[in-house]
Amino acid sequence: MADNNSLNALIEGLRRLPGVGVKSASRMAFHLLQHDRAGAQVLAQALQQASTQIRHCARCHTFTESEICQTCLDPSRDASKLCVVETPADQAAVERTSAYRGLYFVLMGKLSPLDGIGPNDIGLAKLFDRATSGLVQEVILATNFTAEGEATAHVIAEALKARGLKVTRLARGVPAGSELEYVDLGTIAHAMVDRR
Ligand SMILES: [Zn+2]
C-alpha cells in the first residue's frame, strides 16, 4: 500500500470523527472516491472554510463567523434572561421551541473531572461576570439531564445564588439522562415554561 498515502491520510482524517472507527472510515473513503468525487470536493471546501472562518462569539461563546453572534446582537432579545446550555446544538434545540426570547451562554462543554475538564475550560469565570453585570435578572440552567450536566448545573447554581442571582433549572419532564439536542420540541418548551 506504499502508493496509497493519500487514501491512508483520508481514512486517518475520517477516523478523527466521533464514533468512526477504521472500518467506517474506510467505507466512507471508498464511497467518496468511487461514487462521489464532487461530494468529496464540496466536503473538503466546507471543512476548510468552516475550520478557518468559524470562531466563538465574544459574548456567549457560540459558533459564529463574526466577533459577536446574531443572537447577541438582536435588540429584540430579552437581556434580563440568560440561558446556559452545553453546546450550540443544545442552543439550537431551545431556539426551535420559540419558548425562549432571552440571551444565551454556551459552555462549549460540561464539567468533567475525569476528562480533565474544569471550570476554566467551560468559561465559568466569564459566565459569572456576565451574569452579575447588572443586566441579567434570571439565569436559566439548560445543561443536559445527564450526570455531568446535572453536576455542572449544580456548581453554576451554587455560585450564582451565592452572588444573589435568581437561578432556575429547566423543569423535569425532560427525561433523566437525556441530551437536550435529542429531546422533542414540546418537551423542551414545556420544561422552559415550567422552570423553577
Ligand atoms: Zn453570542
Side-chain angles (χ1 to χ4, degrees), residues 57-62 64 67-73 91 104 130:
C57 171
R59 277 185 209 159
C60 74
H61 283 186
T62 201
T64 176
E67 170 77 10
I68 310 281
C69 76
Q70 288 299 315
T71 308
C72 284
L73 287 175
Q91 179 186 12
Y104 290 91
R130 174 134 182 238

Side-chain angles (χ1 to χ4, degrees), residues 132 137 158-167:
T132 53
Q137 281 164 21
E158 292 304 305
L160 291 179
K161 281 178 192 161
R163 289 165 168 81
L165 266 156
K166 180 182 177 191
V167 182

Side-chain angles (χ1 to χ4, degrees), residues 14-79:
L14 290 165
R15 280 187 65 192
R16 288 169 171 267
L17 295 169
V20 176
V22 69
K23 219 169 171 180
S24 315
S26 304
R27 205 176 304 134
M28 289 180 206
F30 293 150
H31 170 81
L32 288 169
L33 296 171
Q34 187 71 18
H35 302 293
D36 196 5
R37 294 269 174 140
Q41 288 293 331
V42 169
L43 180 59
Q45 277 168 20
L47 283 172
Q48 173 70 23
Q49 175 91 2
S51 63
T52 54
Q53 299 302 313
I54 294 180
R55 50 181 161 160
H56 295 289
C57 171
R59 277 185 209 159
C60 74
H61 283 186
T62 201
F63 288 136
T64 176
E65 294 191 30
S66 324
E67 170 77 10
I68 310 281
C69 76
Q70 288 299 315
T71 308
C72 284
L73 287 175
D74 183 349
S76 73
R77 290 272 170 172
D78 178 357

